[in-house]
């Protein structure tokens, strides 16, 4: 179903919504500015009132996505009443966001958008991903200093695991053939990782 097109005073958001739909359908490099304009219900020249080109449109989708993602991660983190529960909650939020907002997720993490080239985009991205760093800081703070890796490194390990599960098993093939759900894969992988760090006790 097509998204609602342009209405007076809402050109920018109409173009963003059209771009999200095209990313979901064709990927971040599979469409043109004129296609985004057509889907939004405006002339081919109209997008250039707000955006220099397709990359700028995708960057704006990423910026919007990181804002939504950051709000969700903050909410999930606050729900955890222990450091482990907070980390698990943010992990579930990551998976849920990737499924529900795939167009945003692709723009954020798979489009090649240069996050640090735009201060506003960098700020909103760092806020979102900083929630995971905070969760990891709380989780590993009681480990002995000689066995405690930097929280940023731990967060990047967990982020890489989350992204891998999303890419391979949460969206389309080959996930449809997997005998395990993405949630089970992430939970078990996180448990193995945290036991290796010494945060969780090893099962006897």
């Amino acid at each position: 179903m097509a998204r609602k097109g342009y209405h007076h005073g809402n050109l920018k958001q109409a173009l963003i919504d059209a771009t999200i739909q095209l990313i979901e359908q064709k990927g971040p490099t599979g469409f043109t500015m004129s296609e985004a304009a057509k889907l939004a219900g405006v002339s081919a020249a109209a997008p250039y009132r707000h955006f220099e080109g397709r990359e700028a449109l995708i960057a704006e989708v990423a910026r919007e996505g990181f804002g939504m993602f950051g709000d969700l991660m903050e909410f999930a983190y606050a729900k955890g009443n222990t450091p482990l529960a907070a980390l698990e909650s943010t992990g579930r939020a990551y998976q849920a966001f990737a499924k529900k907002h795939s167009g945003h997720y692709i723009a954020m993490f798979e489009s090649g958008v240069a996050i640090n080239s735009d201060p506003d985009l960098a700020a909103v991205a760092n806020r979102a991903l900083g929630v995971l760093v905070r969760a990891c800081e709380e989780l590993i703070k009681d480990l002995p200093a000689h066995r405690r890796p930097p929280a940023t490194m731990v967060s990047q390990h967990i982020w890489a695991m989350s992204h891998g599960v999303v890419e391979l098993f949460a969206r389309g093939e080959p996930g449809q053939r997997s005998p395990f759900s993405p949630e089970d894969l992430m939970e078990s992988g996180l448990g193995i990782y945290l036991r290796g760090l010494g945060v969780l006790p090893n099962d006897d």
Side-chain angles (χ1 to χ4, degrees), residues 128-144:
L129 297 174
V131 178
L132 184 57
V133 176
R134 293 208 313 271
C136 291
E137 285 175 342
E138 285 295 312
L139 193 65
I140 67 173
K141 67 181 181 181
D142 293 329
L143 290 177

Side-chain angles (χ1 to χ4, degrees), residues 30-113:
F31 68 96
T32 64
M33 285 284 278
S34 61
E35 286 180 283
K38 182 178 180 180
L39 188 58
V42 299
S43 70
Y48 295 96
R49 299 178 196 172
H50 293 285
F51 304 101
E52 293 182 358
R54 183 181 63 189
E55 290 73 20
L57 254 175
I58 294 171
E60 184 60 22
V61 172
R63 190 203 61 75
E64 182 179 87
F66 273 117
M68 296 161 53
F69 182 59
D71 290 343
L72 180 62
M73 293 288 277
E74 291 277 8
F75 177 78
Y77 177 80
K79 285 175 61 179
N81 55 10
T82 68
L84 179 58
L87 181 63
E88 290 175 337
S89 183
T90 56
R92 287 191 294 271
Y94 188 105
Q95 299 275 319
F97 181 88
K99 285 184 179 180
K100 186 174 182 180
H101 302 285
S102 60
H104 286 99
Y105 185 88
I106 293 168
M108 292 156 59
F109 297 120
E110 301 170 21
S111 68
V113 63

Side-chain angles (χ1 to χ4, degrees), residues 1-60:
M1 181 179 296
R3 297 178 186 269
K4 293 182 179 179
Y6 169 68
H7 295 285
H8 182 69
N10 198 30
L11 171 59
K12 184 176 180 180
Q13 190 61 50
L15 290 166
I16 292 169
D17 291 344
T19 300
I20 293 167
Q21 184 171 339
L22 288 167
I23 290 172
E24 291 171 351
Q25 293 174 349
K26 301 183 176 185
T29 62
F31 68 96
T32 64
M33 285 284 278
S34 61
E35 286 180 283
K38 182 178 180 180
L39 188 58
V42 299
S43 70
Y48 295 96
R49 299 178 196 172
H50 293 285
F51 304 101
E52 293 182 358
R54 183 181 63 189
E55 290 73 20
L57 254 175
I58 294 171
E60 184 60 22

